[in-house]
Amino acid sequence: MLSNEYKRIHLIATGGSIMHNLALALAEKGLQVTGSDDEIFEPAKSRLAEAGLLPEKEGWFPEKVTAELDAVIVGMHARADNPELLKAQELNLPVYSFPEFIYEQSKNKQRIVIGGSHGKTSITSIIMHVLQYHNRKFDYAVGAQLEGFKNMVKLTEDAPIIIIEGDEYLSSPILRVPKFHLYHHHIGVISGISWDHINVFPDEKMYREQFRIFADMTPKAGVMIYNQDDEQVAHVCVPRTQDAKFIGYSVHEHKIKNGKTWLITKKDPVEIQIFGEHNLRNISAAKEVCKEIGIKGAAFYEALATFKGAAKRLEKLGEKNSTVIYRDFAHAPSKVKATTEALKKQFPHRKLVACLELHTFSSLNKAFLPQYAGALHAADVPVVYFNPKTVEHKRMEMLDESQIKEAFKNPNIRVFTNSKVLQAFIEDQNWQEQNLLLMSSGNYDNLDFKHLTEKVL
């Protein structure tokens, strides 16, 4: 059933990052959308309120789920015993996870799914930017806010293709399979494999297996585009059939001069606004995807030159004289290492203060922590922050400074457990010829990034 056949849809866990964007996208199409959640944070709260979709009260209300609904979509944040979900099952209503619903809405489209432990948001963002630049019609579902795009989800009846950021995390509380297995891609990408989500995939082999399944799902006449420099990716992207095409990619040829990165192309060099070896790989991946859907090299580079990057992906917070401050979503070991090395390589003559917040279940897990060995070696001043309350909230064993230094294999790491003390430390540094990098999937216990930037600069 396509969305134009739906009239009434209810979202369970409507305050989630991608779920609230789905609510907005469906409402824009004229559907009657309702939702519930037990806690809704900014910016979802304001965006839902502006669209008239913010629930009157936080919490779960089974009475909202009635036989008049055409479908219920359940987010991963909900539990299997959620009272609204139980009511929907009792009424025999169609219940979808987010990826199942997106697939249902895109059965008649060419589906391009970008997977990988790292880089998928950036690759997806580049492709979307290029398509929009050239006025191509497309739908999308992406995990970060992008300049030039109002929402993170778009579903129409007439777009011939859809670009999907394919997360390997579980689809819903009742469908415990990776999201990217449910999109049924025509063109797939695997950007890298680095063990993550230890709470769901307890060992590296099980984690890697999810990507092998994804690669093997590439259909007849389909395409799998993969990072040929990643040993784990190369392991799962061994063609097991001649029916699908496998395309490897590497770091785009380039040069770095005076803190600027230029791509070497068949014609003139192209200056770009993003940098780092990981992003140069992301560009190669996006270029291969665009080539498959009819956008050739010159047109790709023309659009890429205007791409500023995705939110919180090496996002520049401020710059003055010999200091730049960047914020990045990096939290997994491979992401932290790549981002730190990228900034140091871009400005080799400046000192680098690199701060990492341990915030996710994996990063705060003592068994997983050794995966961070060497991740901050490129930093001149390596800093690790974690909030003890977060550890307690996740019901995990408390970390201490010596364990962190040992796990990172870096005795020079400074460990902070109070964001105000961390802020004071940062402000006290001499910021001549020195850059600051703030990495986290959280917010350093509500650290005021704008105030900090003003103080440093």
Side-chain angles (χ1 to χ4, degrees):
M1 185 185 284
L2 294 177
S3 62
N4 60 354
E5 296 176 277
Y6 287 117
K7 300 295 181 189
R8 295 166 294 274
I9 294 182
H10 182 74
L11 278 69
I12 301 174
T14 193
S17 175
I18 198 74
M19 287 288 283
H20 91 270
N21 274 279
L22 177 59
L24 295 171
L26 294 177
E28 280 190 4
K29 287 167 63 68
L31 280 67
Q32 185 179 319
V33 180
T34 58
S36 298
D37 213 323
D38 58 353
E39 50 183 4
I40 302 177
F41 300 108
E42 295 295 353
K45 195 167 191 175
S46 295
R47 298 184 78 205
L48 288 172
E50 187 180 346
L53 299 175
L54 185 67
E56 288 184 14
K57 292 181 180 178
E58 291 187 348
W60 310 114
F61 305 95
E63 61 271 20
K64 287 185 179 182
V65 179
T66 68
E68 282 70 47
L69 291 172
D70 295 313
V72 171
I73 305 170
V74 58
M76 189 55 212
H77 166 61
R79 296 179 183 274
D81 62 354
N82 181 284
E84 294 187 9
L85 175 57
L86 294 177
K87 180 73 176 294
Q89 291 169 327
E90 180 188 323
L91 292 173
N92 243 3
L93 292 170
V95 176
Y96 296 103
S97 63
F98 176 85
E100 285 179 301
F101 186 79
I102 294 296
Y103 171 66
E104 285 296 322
Q105 299 307 297
S106 58
K107 279 184 174 178
N108 299 325
K109 303 177 188 292
Q110 183 181 34
R111 293 178 297 281
I112 299 166
V113 180
I114 316 302
S117 306
H118 44 258
K120 54 185 176 288
T121 301
S122 294
I123 295 169
T124 308
S125 305
I126 294 169
I127 296 167
M128 287 170 55
H129 177 83
V130 172
L131 289 173
Q132 186 181 62
Y133 183 92
H134 290 292
N135 298 311
R136 291 278 295 267
K137 280 186 177 180
F138 66 100
D139 288 347
Y140 54 84
V142 63
Q145 195 63 47
L146 307 179
E147 187 174 314
F149 294 89
K150 184 180 177 184
N151 297 329
M152 291 151 56
V153 176
K154 184 179 182 181
L155 296 171
T156 65
E157 309 305 329
D158 58 343
I161 61 175
I162 183 169
I163 316 298
I164 303 169
E165 181 180 345
D167 190 355
E168 71 274 18
Y169 200 65
L170 300 181
S171 300
S172 83
I174 55 173
L175 188 59
R176 300 180 68 79
V177 298
K179 294 187 183 78
F180 65 179
H181 291 178
L182 300 177
Y183 295 120
H184 303 285
H185 63 278
H186 299 105
I187 298 174
V189 174
I190 301 181
S191 60
I193 301 175
S194 181
W195 185 33
D196 200 358
H197 308 305
I198 189 175
N199 53 323
V200 177
F201 308 112
D203 60 62
E204 295 181 64
K205 186 178 178 182
M206 183 186 292
Y207 182 74
R208 187 177 65 191
E209 177 67 7
Q210 310 313 310
F211 291 90
R212 185 197 64 76
I213 294 169
F214 176 59
D216 286 353
M217 291 178 75
T218 306
K220 195 170 186 176
V223 181
M224 176 53 66
I225 296 165
Y226 67 97
N227 178 3
Q228 64 188 27
D229 298 330
D230 188 306
E231 186 180 337
Q232 298 294 315
V233 175
H235 186 83
V236 304
C237 284
V238 177
R240 278 167 276 273
T241 172
Q242 297 300 313
D243 294 338
K245 182 165 63 172
F246 283 72
I247 301 171
Y249 68 87
S250 188
V251 176
H252 197 293
E253 192 177 354
H254 64 285
K255 63 180 180 180
I256 301 171
K257 188 176 181 181
N258 299 326
K260 303 289 184 183
T261 298
W262 300 75
L263 299 183
I264 307 301
T265 74
K266 289 179 181 177
K267 295 184 178 179
D268 297 327
V270 176
E271 184 182 353
I272 56 174
Q273 299 180 53
I274 56 176
F275 62 87
E277 190 173 282
H278 61 307
N279 274 326
L280 291 160
R281 279 198 179 86
N282 296 338
I283 288 168
S284 293
K287 183 172 179 285
E288 292 294 343
V289 171
C290 288
K291 184 179 175 182
E292 289 297 318
I293 54 177
I295 296 177
K296 300 298 190 288
F300 175 80
Y301 293 125
E302 180 187 332
L304 182 67
T306 64
F307 179 69
K308 295 179 180 178
K312 299 180 186 176
R313 269 68 177 183
L314 274 174
E315 178 184 5
K316 187 188 291 186
L317 297 181
E319 181 175 11
K320 186 178 181 182
N321 300 327
S322 59
T323 301
V324 188
I325 303 174
Y326 285 95
R327 182 183 182 186
D328 197 274
F329 191 72
H331 53 89
S334 59
K335 298 175 186 177
V336 172
K337 187 172 188 292
T339 302
T340 307
E341 288 178 351
L343 197 50
K344 186 62 181 178
K345 193 171 182 180
Q346 195 74 2
F347 301 94
H349 304 301
R350 294 185 191 176
K351 280 190 172 183
L352 175 60
V353 179
C355 303
L356 168 66
E357 178 183 15
L358 303 179
H359 180 73
T360 64
F361 185 93
S362 294
S363 67
L364 292 167
N365 189 303
K366 285 185 179 180
F368 185 81
L369 210 55
Q371 299 292 319
Y372 285 94
L376 288 174
H377 279 5
D380 299 285
V381 182
V383 176
V384 170
Y385 166 81
F386 71 92
N387 186 341
K389 289 181 181 177
T390 303
V391 180
E392 291 172 7
H393 179 71
K394 294 181 185 290
R395 299 178 181 176
M396 302 176 74
E397 190 179 343
M398 191 58 65
L399 303 174
D400 64 43
E401 186 170 334
S402 61
Q403 289 168 336
I404 291 172
K405 288 182 175 181
E406 171 58 28
F408 278 77
K409 299 298 179 189
N410 193 330
N412 297 320
I413 282 179
R414 297 169 187 262
V415 179
F416 293 86
T417 56
N418 183 305
S419 61
K420 288 185 172 58
V421 176
L422 170 63
Q423 181 168 340
F425 169 79
I426 292 172
E427 291 175 5
D428 285 345
Q429 298 296 301
N430 176 3
W431 289 103
Q432 292 296 315
E433 294 293 334
Q434 189 158 266
N435 291 337
L436 174 62
L437 171 61
L438 298 161
M439 295 176 284
S440 178
S441 60
N443 58 20
Y444 289 86
D445 193 24
N446 295 313
L447 181 68
D448 188 334
F449 291 99
K450 185 179 179 182
H451 175 77
L452 179 66
T453 300
E454 290 171 352
K455 283 284 188 180
V456 168
L457 299 179

